[in-house]
Amino acid sequence: MASAAGQITIAAAIILGADQRMLVVRKHGSALFQQPGGKIDAGETPEMALRREIAEEIAITLAPSAVAALGTYSAPAANEPGMQVLAHIFSARTTETPRAAAEIAELAWLDLDHPQRMPLAPLLQRHIVPLARQIAGLSELAS
């Protein structure tokens, strides 16, 4: 999928555990946690890219029926200064246990009631935590 200059187009997943915590990942060389997912390759739909990236990064195979589109959001890129990320966000369900693979250094489960306890990418802070809280049935965080 072609991206405008200064923009990175990605697909990313909100994966909630049974305890309503959200799976986040940290790439090698980065201090910030972000959603599992990644860049959309030429000829891929956002959902195709999401399923490929999830398999590569956290070793989970997502069935098409386990994925639902939530919208498209933009924020400053976490690891590429001066760039904006345009993210196609999906909710995803799995019973598989994720494990760090490819460029992923660490997996963590984010407490949606206390997201500030972890260093988070801008997209995660601004858009994904509120979406995940809605999915989990939690009230919005106080400003």
Side-chain angles (χ1 to χ4, degrees), residues 9 13 17 24 26 37-38 47 56 66 68 86 108 126-127 132-134:
T9 304
V24 292
R26 186 182 59 76
E47 184 179 331
E56 290 172 3
L86 178 67
R126 294 179 187 180
H127 302 294
R133 289 180 59 78
Q134 287 179 343

Side-chain angles (χ1 to χ4, degrees), residues 30-105:
S30 177
L32 300 176
F33 284 89
Q34 58 192 42
Q35 290 313 111
K39 294 177 184 167
I40 300 171
D41 289 341
E44 283 185 318
T45 65
E47 184 179 331
M48 290 166 56
L50 178 78
R51 294 176 63 227
R52 175 184 52 76
E53 287 283 348
I54 294 297
E56 290 172 3
E57 289 186 353
I58 61 173
I60 287 177
T61 302
L62 292 175
S65 62
V67 176
L70 299 175
T72 305
Y73 300 85
S74 183
N79 299 310
E80 299 184 43
M83 300 289 284
Q84 284 286 116
V85 63
L86 178 67
H88 296 266
I89 306 298
F90 295 84
S91 65
R93 297 179 321 277
T94 183
T95 57
E96 296 179 43
T97 301
R99 65 176 173 77
E103 71 268 21
I104 303 304

Side-chain angles (χ1 to χ4, degrees), residues 16 20-22 110-115 129 132-133 136 138 141:
L16 297 176
Q20 300 297 38
R21 292 185 304 157
M22 180 175 58
L110 179 68
D111 181 345
L112 293 171
D113 285 327
H114 304 284
V129 166
R133 289 180 59 78
L138 302 171
L141 294 173

